[in-house]
Amino acid sequence: MTPLAFPEGFLWGTATSSYQIEGAAKEDGRGPSIWDDFCRLKDAIQDGSDGSVACDHYHRYCEDVALMKSLGLKAYRFSIAWPRVLPTGRGAVNPKGIGFYDQLVDELLAAGIRPFVTLYHWDLPSALHAQGGWTNRDSADWFADYAVVVVRALGDRVKDWITLNEPWCSAYLGYEFGMHAPGYQDRVLASKAAHHLLLAHGLALRAIRAVGDANTRVGVTLNFEPNLPASDSEEDRQAAAEAFDWQYEGFAEPILTAAYNQRMLERMAGAEIRPGDMAIIAARNDFLGINYYSAKLISAKRGVVYDDDPEFTRMGWAVRPAGLYALLMQLHRATRGQLPLYITENGASFADQVVDGRVHDERRLAYLRAHFTEVHRAIQAGVDLRGYFVWSLIDNFEWSFGYQQFFGIVHVDYATQKRIVKDSGYYVRDVATANAVL
Ligand code: FCB
């Protein structure tokens, strides 16, 4: 097989988030976040665990950066814990908190790894939640102020900024379905949160540009679960094209078109959308981050089809690599090829076994290869895709699933904190080194 070469300079990396890996929840002045609180609720987390220790990355970041370097990775997407930097969300900066990220960034740059920094990956300071969290319109300003603090501290070295990770999940899993912190089940509050998150993104984008330099780039990471036709028939294609795509219509569409469509407006009844908001939300991004794990199959006769899948991951998500190609083409068309794209997350959880100090995770490797191949196909078709971050570098705290899901290309033994590179990790190393799908 001839390797499928990627464009020169294509960035191969991995992604993580603060609460999922750092631990050290009470150290060096970090304030509590809504995830610390949520984990204490009865039955909120499947295995009753929390992120207070996680992968102990806070103390082991040098080892983890060395690991990335050994895997030939050229970029790393991580998030900043807002309550480390501003323990109560606003006001005085905690020098030790920002100091941790300062050192992490230096360590990455010394290893030749480009940092992509997410400002919000779900760990809202509890003190801000006490004031309504994202349901309070002021949250958009709180977030922009926090963004400025971080960019002032790290912006001389960090050039790539992601405002929010998956605001769909923050709003709807957090406030409508009760599955994520803060665990609410209230559609109106969720709609308010969704709008304020978009506003927060727009205001932060502006603020970051104002304090950043000419090389500063800002974008947002959205999660997608596109609708694919269940067959090639005309009626299935039409059904898929018309089916509600909540993730896209709720977030990508307002950002790209400065408007919510009619069905989103109906769904978001109760959110307060003021004149001028949409212009802020639709400010030009320098790039768009895409998180892709699966897609929905739509049939005209049967609606959403769940049972036609060849394979599911441990999360119960259908393996549908072709959905990634379809999504990239959709975004390429919607942005007329004018917006650089990154895959900021893609990966799979499968049960792993350590045998003689190795992890032979063929299924994860096959998942990644299939998705890399679809990405290559999209680039060949003209999509301006600049990089690909595998979720995740290491096994970690998978939110309400606790430590029972394994997305890492590196295994973590939580009792000893020992890291073992899985076969998929060596595969990613080889792909990154060759800059080609092997
Ligand atoms: C995404 C999250 C990430 C991780 C993966 C599996 O929704 O952004 O933190 O949980 O799913």
Side-chain angles (χ1 to χ4, degrees):
M1 239 175 29
T2 43
L4 308 172
F6 275 69
E8 210 186 306
F10 189 83
L11 277 184
W12 294 97
T14 56
T16 62
S17 87
S18 46
Y19 192 68
Q20 293 179 277
I21 66 165
E22 285 179 359
K26 292 193 174 144
E27 245 167 278
D28 292 341
R30 176 187 178 276
S33 82
I34 55 173
W35 270 94
D36 298 288
D37 305 336
F38 184 66
C39 289
R40 278 194 294 272
L41 299 180
K42 195 175 169 311
D43 298 332
I45 311 299
Q46 278 181 16
D47 60 2
S49 65
D50 60 42
S52 56
V53 177
C55 311
D56 197 30
H57 172 77
Y58 191 76
H59 300 113
R60 293 168 195 264
Y61 70 94
C62 292
E63 182 192 336
D64 290 338
V65 172
L67 194 57
M68 289 179 231
K69 188 178 178 188
S70 77
L71 294 178
L73 302 170
K74 292 285 181 291
Y76 176 48
R77 171 178 178 244
F78 64 94
S79 81
I80 305 248
W82 186 344
R84 263 192 215 292
V85 177
L86 300 170
T88 56
R90 310 176 65 195
V93 176
N94 172 25
K96 285 192 174 160
I98 193 72
F100 169 68
Y101 299 106
D102 199 68
Q103 289 164 13
L104 173 60
V105 164
D106 283 345
E107 195 71 20
L108 287 165
L109 293 174
I113 299 169
R114 180 163 142 196
F116 276 63
V117 176
T118 307
L119 287 160
Y120 184 71
H121 199 129
W122 306 352
D123 38 5
L124 186 75
S126 303
L128 297 183
H129 176 66
Q131 296 168 63
W134 293 112
T135 69
N136 183 336
R137 190 181 161 96
D138 291 344
S139 58
D141 294 306
W142 303 334
F143 179 67
D145 292 347
Y146 152 67
V148 166
V149 168
V150 177
V151 175
R152 282 220 168 101
L154 307 179
D156 55 333
R157 288 152 292 155
V158 174
K159 300 301 166 192
D160 301 281
W161 297 95
I162 294 166
T163 55
L164 305 174
N165 176 70
E166 303 190 350
W168 185 91
C169 295
S170 300
Y172 298 111
L173 296 184
Y175 293 88
E176 181 163 339
F177 300 122
M179 284 165 59
H180 279 185
Y184 286 9
Q185 295 188 40
D186 185 311
R187 181 163 167 162
V188 172
L189 288 182
S191 303
K192 286 180 194 281
H195 184 66
H196 297 152
L197 280 153
L198 277 169
L199 209 52
H201 158 69
L203 289 178
L205 191 142
R206 246 190 215 175
I208 294 170
R209 286 224 178 96
V211 293
D213 62 21
N215 295 320
T216 302
R217 290 169 292 269
V218 199
V220 62
T221 279
L222 303 177
N223 54 307
F224 294 92
E225 201 188 350
N227 295 319
L228 301 179
S231 79
D232 275 343
S233 75
E234 192 43 46
E235 49 167 1
D236 282 356
R237 282 171 178 279
Q238 199 179 332
E242 287 168 4
F244 186 40
D245 184 342
W246 194 0
Q247 287 84 5
Y248 189 92
E249 294 173 43
F251 292 87
E253 198 173 310
I255 287 173
L256 297 176
T257 70
Y260 295 111
N261 65 29
Q262 198 48 41
R263 61 184 164 188
M264 259 333 286
L265 284 173
E266 279 160 28
R267 206 193 183 283
M268 291 174 74
E272 193 203 332
I273 302 161
R274 295 192 191 160
D277 284 1
M278 298 317 292
I280 295 170
I281 288 170
R284 182 187 56 81
N285 286 272
D286 295 305
F287 63 88
L288 175 66
I290 299 166
N291 289 359
Y292 177 84
Y293 291 93
S294 190
K296 291 193 282 302
L297 279 194
I298 309 288
S299 142
K301 292 204 179 65
R302 293 182 290 159
V304 183
V305 179
Y306 291 103
D307 48 5
D308 286 6
D309 292 289
E311 192 186 5
F312 293 90
T313 69
R314 187 173 165 86
M315 293 291 279
W317 297 345
V319 177
R320 291 193 178 126
L324 182 51
Y325 176 82
L327 172 64
L328 289 170
M329 297 311 292
Q330 177 191 11
L331 289 168
H332 179 68
R333 281 190 299 272
T335 59
R336 282 172 241 91
Q338 297 301 301
L339 185 62
L341 306 175
Y342 288 89
I343 309 285
T344 43
E345 285 183 28
N346 173 245
S349 171
F350 291 109
D352 296 315
Q353 267 189 310
V354 181
V355 180
D356 298 332
R358 295 288 303 256
V359 179
H360 301 302
D361 57 337
E362 306 89 7
R363 293 181 73 191
R364 186 174 296 101
L365 195 158
Y367 178 101
L368 291 173
R369 178 188 279 132
H371 287 78
F372 294 168
T373 304
E374 293 297 325
V375 161
H376 179 269
R377 194 153 77 90
I379 293 173
Q380 294 300 106
V383 173
D384 183 7
L385 188 79
R386 306 279 177 96
Y388 189 115
F389 296 83
V390 177
W391 184 272
S392 181
L393 174 67
I394 45 181
D395 289 341
N396 57 50
F397 176 73
E398 180 49 37
W399 309 113
S400 56
F401 298 88
Y403 296 97
Q404 303 304 311
Q405 295 289 347
F406 311 96
F407 279 93
I409 55 171
V410 175
H411 168 87
V412 176
D413 176 343
Y414 293 109
T416 61
Q417 292 293 350
K418 188 168 180 268
R419 277 79 162 134
I420 298 174
V421 178
K422 303 178 192 178
D423 286 359
S424 62
Y426 291 117
Y427 173 66
V428 170
R429 176 195 63 190
D430 294 344
V431 167
T433 305
N435 196 26
V437 188
L438 306 169

